[in-house]
């Protein structure tokens, strides 16, 4: 540093002159820093709002405590009016409304349009709040739209989905108005996502800053998603079903047929499915007996489709059809590829008297008689959330086996596998060869095999139904339970014990951690489980897990010679089918 005592007047003048010249530059730098700070702040707020939307999209929006805190951080911005980057071009800011006495139309589009025209918009806190007029005619319109089935209003329920209109800048006065908003939503282009799911937060105390938020969302298959529900959830939700699904869900109109029986088929190969098939057949027989005792019963005959190529010791205990497997080089250890090949052989060689086929699996336990759930010629199936052929990263893979498809077209591929699925025998004849060939093509494609892995044959089934125009497929979440994630017996027809069940000795569920008490079918991959498996802890509240153990114990105690069978893995005594 300079010592001020040795600076000469001439040198001081030079420094002073330089300082004067530097001041404009300094002001420029300061102003630039201020501008950058403002831009950074706005950008941060924008990303914060985007994070809120993303969290609501992925988590369903029910984590309102966290979202409340996030929104509180932007309240100073909100109070001064919604910034341009948070505004939605579809928000109405007009304070005028259309009055009139137009007749109430039954058509849902007309109802929605009338409801929207008769809405009055008020500006609150920088947001548009839609206040539905309380005239009797408009109340009737709103009520008619809600009761027509197009809203499917569910209280204390939240759906996840891809947002097409954010809740924070879509404040509406009621759940019915939110439904109407979803119903009338128009995507910008034909390829943009439409609204088929809406969620509304109408509890002022619980919703906090999310009060009156109306999120418009899109799901490829709303009927395939189990929403989050419970008294603690302040959201009200609804889904807009396509006309065909809406008819199925609300009227359950069936074709008038005298005989709607379906033939049950399970596929099997290996030690694990050997004992599972015996348990399955026991419960099939017991539930079918209950079904027939109650009157008209749609449950028909039974076949174990054994795709090992060899007879086994259960041929006289369980009605079976033996199919040849693919050559080893055809499946390279992925024996599931034998399944569609086995169905092709079964359809060619078996005499099937029923007009319908229900494809099930050995690790399904019948809980109660299931009616034929098909409506007309629409198959009925259980949806699997992990079958996503229209997903952005999967669409190019899907197109390898379908040809060019838009995302909307790909969403017509149902998220299903072959089991459990109910379809007509004619439909199975039509699609089975394509299912076999498509599954083998997917297996042989390096990218598809890597991405779809162990469920690639399920993708093969879903894509083949689409290619062969077998559908649309009605999705039934209540067809099958999957404990421990499902807990209550009602309303399911089947119990699928594919997941491990782990609990502490006090009965607390420990997902992802081996419990002090547990049941997992994989523990019995080589040999059957013993008779009289230990009961779950008294404090365990899951009805389905408790029923699973009771069902296994009942079957293994009823089938003769189970102790020896459990010890050796080979059956020497057989059940005669009598209950």
């Amino acid at each position: 540093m300079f010592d001020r005592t040795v600076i000469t007047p001439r040198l001081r003048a030079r420094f002073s002159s330089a300082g004067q010249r530097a001041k404009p530059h300094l002001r420029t730098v300061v102003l630039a820093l201020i501008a950058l700070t403002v831009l950074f702040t706005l950008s941060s707020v924008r990303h914060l709002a985007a994070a809120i939307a993303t969290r609501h999209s992925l988590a369903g929006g029910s984590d309102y405590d966290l979202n409340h805190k996030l929104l509180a951080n932007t309240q100073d911005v909100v109070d001064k009016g919604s910034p341009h980057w948070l505004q939605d071009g579809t928000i109405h800011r007009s304070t005028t409304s259309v009055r009139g006495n137009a007749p109430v139309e039954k058509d849902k589009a007309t109802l929605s349009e009338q409801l929207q025209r008769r809405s009055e918009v008020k500006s609150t806190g920088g947001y548009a709040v839609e206040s539905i007029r309380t005239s009797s005619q408009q109340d009737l319109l709103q009520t008619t739209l809600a009761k027509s089935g197009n809203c499917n209003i569910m209280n204390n329920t939240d759906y996840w989905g891809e947002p097409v209109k954010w809740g924070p800048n879509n404040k509406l006065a009621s759940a019915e108005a939110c439904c109407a908003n979803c119903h009338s939503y128009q995507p910008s282009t034909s390829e943009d996502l439409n609204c088929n799911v809406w969620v509304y937060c109408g509890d002022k105390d619980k919703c906090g800053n999310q009060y009156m938020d109306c999120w418009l969302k899109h799901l490829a298959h709303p009927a395939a998603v189990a929403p989050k529900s419970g008294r603690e959830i302040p959201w009200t939700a609804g889904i807009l079903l396509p006309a065909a699904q809406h008819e199925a869900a609300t009227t359950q109109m069936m074709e008038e047929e005298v005989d709607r029986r379906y033939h049950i088929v399970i596929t099997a190969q290996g030690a694990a499915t050997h004992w599972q098939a015996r348990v399955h057949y026991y419960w099939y027989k017991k539930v079918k007996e209950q079904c027939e005792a109650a009157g008209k019963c749609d449950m028909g005959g039974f076949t174990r489709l054994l795709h090992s190529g060899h007879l086994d010791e259960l041929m006289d205990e369980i009605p079976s059809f033996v199919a040849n497997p693919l050559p080893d080089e055809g499946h390279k250890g992925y024996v599931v590829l034998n399944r569609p090949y086995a169905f092709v052989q079964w359809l060619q060689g078996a005499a099937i008297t029923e007009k319908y086929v229900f494809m099930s699996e050995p690790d399904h336990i019948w809980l109660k008689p299931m009616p034929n759930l098909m409506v007309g010629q629409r198959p009925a199936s259980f949806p699997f959330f992990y079958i996503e052929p229209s997903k952005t990263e999967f669409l190019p893979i899907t197109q390898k086996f379908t040809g060019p498809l838009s995302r909307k077209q790909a969403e017509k591929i149902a998220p299903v596998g072959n089991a459990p699925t109910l379809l007509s025998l004619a439909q199975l004849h039509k699609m089975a060869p394509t299912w076999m060939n498509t599954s083998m093509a997917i297996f042989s494609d390096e990218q598809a095999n890597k991405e779809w892995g162990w469920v690639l044959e399920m993708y093969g089934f879903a894509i083949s139904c689409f290619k062969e125009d077998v559908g649309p497929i009605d999705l039934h979440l209540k067809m099958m339970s999957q404990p421990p994630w499902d807990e209550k017996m009602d309303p399911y027809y089947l119990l699928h014990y594919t997941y491990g069940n782990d609990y502490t000795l006090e009965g607390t569920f420990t997902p992802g951690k081996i419990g002090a008490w547990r049941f997992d079918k994989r523990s019995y991959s080589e040999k059957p489980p013993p008779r009289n498996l230990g009961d779950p802890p008294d404090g365990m509240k899951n009805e389905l897990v408790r029923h699973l153990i009771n069902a296994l114990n009942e079957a293994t105690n009823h089938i003769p010679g189970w102790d020896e069978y459990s010890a050796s893995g080979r059956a020497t005594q057989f059940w005669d089918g009598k209950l």
Side-chain angles (χ1 to χ4, degrees), residues 347-563:
L347 291 169
Q348 292 173 345
I352 308 157
T353 59
E354 295 90 347
K355 291 174 59 178
Y356 302 93
V357 175
F358 180 62
M359 293 181 281
S360 187
E361 284 301 314
D363 61 351
H364 295 172
I365 288 178
W366 288 86
L367 299 177
K368 63 182 180 181
M370 186 179 78
N372 187 327
L373 297 174
M374 289 183 65
V375 179
Q377 290 303 303
R378 297 205 300 272
S381 187
F382 177 85
F384 292 92
F385 68 89
Y386 46 79
I387 303 299
E388 303 175 288
S390 64
K391 193 175 180 180
T392 302
E393 55 265 44
F394 290 165
L395 184 56
I397 303 175
T398 301
Q399 290 172 332
K400 291 183 179 183
F401 312 103
T402 61
L405 285 179
S406 67
R407 179 170 177 176
K408 282 190 175 181
Q409 290 172 322
E411 286 187 353
K412 294 181 180 179
I413 303 174
V416 300
N418 81 290
T421 293
L422 178 63
L423 74 174
S424 72
L425 181 61
Q427 289 170 327
L428 186 57
H429 268 288
K430 182 180 180 182
M431 62 81 58
T434 305
W435 173 25
M436 177 185 71
N437 292 326
T438 302
S439 297
M440 294 179 68
I442 294 172
F443 179 75
S444 299
D445 184 275
E446 183 177 354
Q447 183 187 18
N449 194 321
K450 178 182 177 181
E451 293 295 337
W452 292 343
W454 64 274
V455 297
L456 65 84
E457 173 267 338
M458 297 173 70
Y459 273 94
F461 179 84
I463 290 172
S464 298
C465 285
F466 172 78
K467 290 171 67 175
E468 294 298 338
D469 199 25
V470 173
I473 298 175
D474 289 335
L475 305 175
H476 293 263
L477 276 168
K478 297 177 181 179
M479 180 183 284
M480 183 175 74
S481 63
Q482 299 193 99
W485 308 109
D486 295 315
E487 298 183 350
K488 301 295 184 182
M489 292 282 289
D490 188 65
Y492 303 106
Y493 297 105
L494 295 170
L495 185 158
H496 183 204
Y497 55 99
T498 190
Y499 296 107
N501 302 271
D502 293 278
Y503 293 86
T504 66
L505 294 180
E506 292 72 36
T508 301
F509 181 38
T510 60
K513 180 181 178 182
I514 294 178
W517 182 94
R518 76 186 314 255
F519 173 80
D520 189 335
K521 69 175 185 179
R522 291 161 189 82
S523 301
Y524 307 102
S525 297
E526 300 299 325
K527 293 181 180 179
R531 289 189 304 122
N532 302 321
L533 291 168
D535 290 335
D538 292 340
M540 196 275 298
K541 304 300 183 184
N542 191 307
E543 294 177 4
L544 287 163
V545 173
R546 195 170 298 279
H547 180 82
L548 168 61
I549 301 304
N550 291 338
L552 291 172
N553 286 341
E554 179 176 332
T556 58
N557 275 286
H558 199 89
I559 298 171
W562 195 275
D563 289 338

Side-chain angles (χ1 to χ4, degrees), residues 74-283:
T74 63
Q75 193 60 46
D76 57 335
V77 178
V78 172
D79 288 342
K80 296 176 182 178
S82 176
H84 69 88
W85 48 264
L86 196 58
Q87 293 175 10
D88 188 311
T90 60
I91 290 182
H92 304 288
R93 293 191 178 274
S94 169
T95 57
T96 61
S97 62
V98 178
R99 300 176 183 271
N101 296 310
V104 177
E105 299 289 339
K106 293 184 179 180
D107 179 78
K108 61 182 182 181
T110 305
L111 283 171
S112 179
E113 291 167 2
Q114 290 179 355
L115 187 58
Q116 289 297 105
R117 286 200 301 268
R118 286 164 172 76
S119 63
E120 179 180 46
V121 179
K122 298 180 180 179
S123 179
T124 301
Y127 292 122
V129 178
E130 186 172 24
S131 176
I132 305 298
R133 291 184 177 273
T134 58
S135 70
S136 59
Q137 185 182 37
Q138 287 146 19
D139 285 345
L140 178 61
L141 283 169
Q142 187 165 292
T143 302
T144 303
L145 181 60
K147 289 186 176 181
S148 68
N150 296 320
C151 286
N152 297 293
I153 293 177
M154 293 167 275
N155 295 319
N156 302 112
T157 301
D158 193 9
Y159 274 89
W160 66 278
E162 294 188 54
V164 298
K165 197 171 186 180
W166 291 4
N169 59 328
N170 191 35
K171 300 272 186 179
L172 301 181
S174 67
E176 290 79 8
C178 187
C179 168
N181 196 232
C182 179
H183 196 277
S184 62
Y185 178 80
Q186 296 294 326
S188 300
T189 71
S190 60
E191 289 304 313
D192 287 337
L193 300 177
N194 66 325
C195 176
N196 57 9
V197 175
W198 58 270
V199 295
Y200 179 78
C201 207
D203 189 316
K204 188 173 184 179
D205 294 332
K206 292 183 179 179
C207 293
N209 276 23
Q210 291 182 302
Y211 178 53
M212 295 195 297
D213 277 9
C214 171
W215 287 82
L216 306 188
K217 303 182 181 183
H218 178 86
L219 282 171
H221 301 279
V225 176
K228 190 173 183 180
S229 60
R231 292 182 179 179
E232 73 282 1
I233 295 177
W235 296 88
T236 299
I239 58 177
L240 305 185
L241 295 175
Q245 291 187 31
H246 172 65
E247 177 188 354
T250 56
T251 66
Q252 288 295 300
M253 295 178 64
M254 306 285 187
E255 286 186 343
E256 291 297 328
E257 290 183 288
V258 175
D259 189 356
R260 289 177 54 83
R261 288 180 301 163
Y262 53 83
H263 192 93
I264 294 92
V265 186
I266 63 172
T267 57
Q269 181 177 353
T273 58
H274 194 273
W275 68 263
Q276 292 168 16
R278 301 184 82 184
V279 172
H280 182 117
Y281 187 61
Y282 171 84
W283 281 102

